[in-house]
Amino acid sequence: GGAGEGPLVPCLMGASLRGVGVEALLDSVVALLPAPEDRPAPSLTYGPPEATKVLTRGVEDPLVALCFKVAHDPHRGALAYLRIYQGMLGKGMVLAGAGTGSNLAGAPGGGGSGGGKGGGD
C-alpha cells in the first residue's frame, strides 16, 4: 500500500531531562488530542452500582482525584502523582484515600483551595 491508504500515527522522540522535544510533544498533544470538553464526562462508582455519579470537571466542585503513582524523592520525601477529575488541589490539603482511608498530605504552607488546576482529562 501507498501513503494515504491507512491511519497515520505520530511518533515523537525527545529527551525530557535535557528538554529536547518537550515543547513539540506538548504542542502535539494540544493539536492532536481532543479537549476534555469534547469527551464524555467521566463517571465514578464507589460502593454499590447504583451509586454511580457523573463528574462535572468543575474546579468549584469537591475534589475527585486518582493517585496513580507514589515515588520517593531523597530530598522531598514521598511524591504522589494524581490525575484530577474534578475540583482543585491546594497547598496544605489533606486527602483521604477512598479505598484505604489513609491520609495523603499536600505541600506544606497555605491552605484552602488555591494553587492547583483541576477539571482536566
Side-chain angles (χ1 to χ4, degrees):
E5 293 183 17
L8 295 177
V9 178
C11 180
L12 302 167
M13 293 185 261
S16 62
L17 293 178
R18 294 189 179 128
V20 176
V22 174
E23 187 173 346
L25 172 67
L26 294 175
D27 290 343
S28 296
V29 165
V30 171
L32 300 174
L33 297 179
E37 302 83 36
D38 297 336
R39 297 181 42 90
S43 61
L44 171 70
T45 302
Y46 184 71
E50 61 272 8
T52 298
K53 178 184 176 195
V54 175
L55 302 176
T56 65
R57 298 187 181 125
V59 295
E60 299 300 323
D61 292 313
L63 178 65
V64 177
L66 171 69
C67 178
F68 60 88
K69 180 178 182 177
V70 177
H72 180 76
D73 180 88
H75 302 289
R76 298 188 62 118
L79 299 174
Y81 293 86
L82 304 174
R83 177 177 180 187
I84 298 176
Y85 290 95
Q86 170 182 292
M88 186 178 292
L89 179 64
K91 275 187 168 184
M93 288 179 69
V94 176
L95 308 177
T100 64
S102 61
N103 287 341
L104 177 68
S113 61
K117 285 183 86 173
D121 235 342

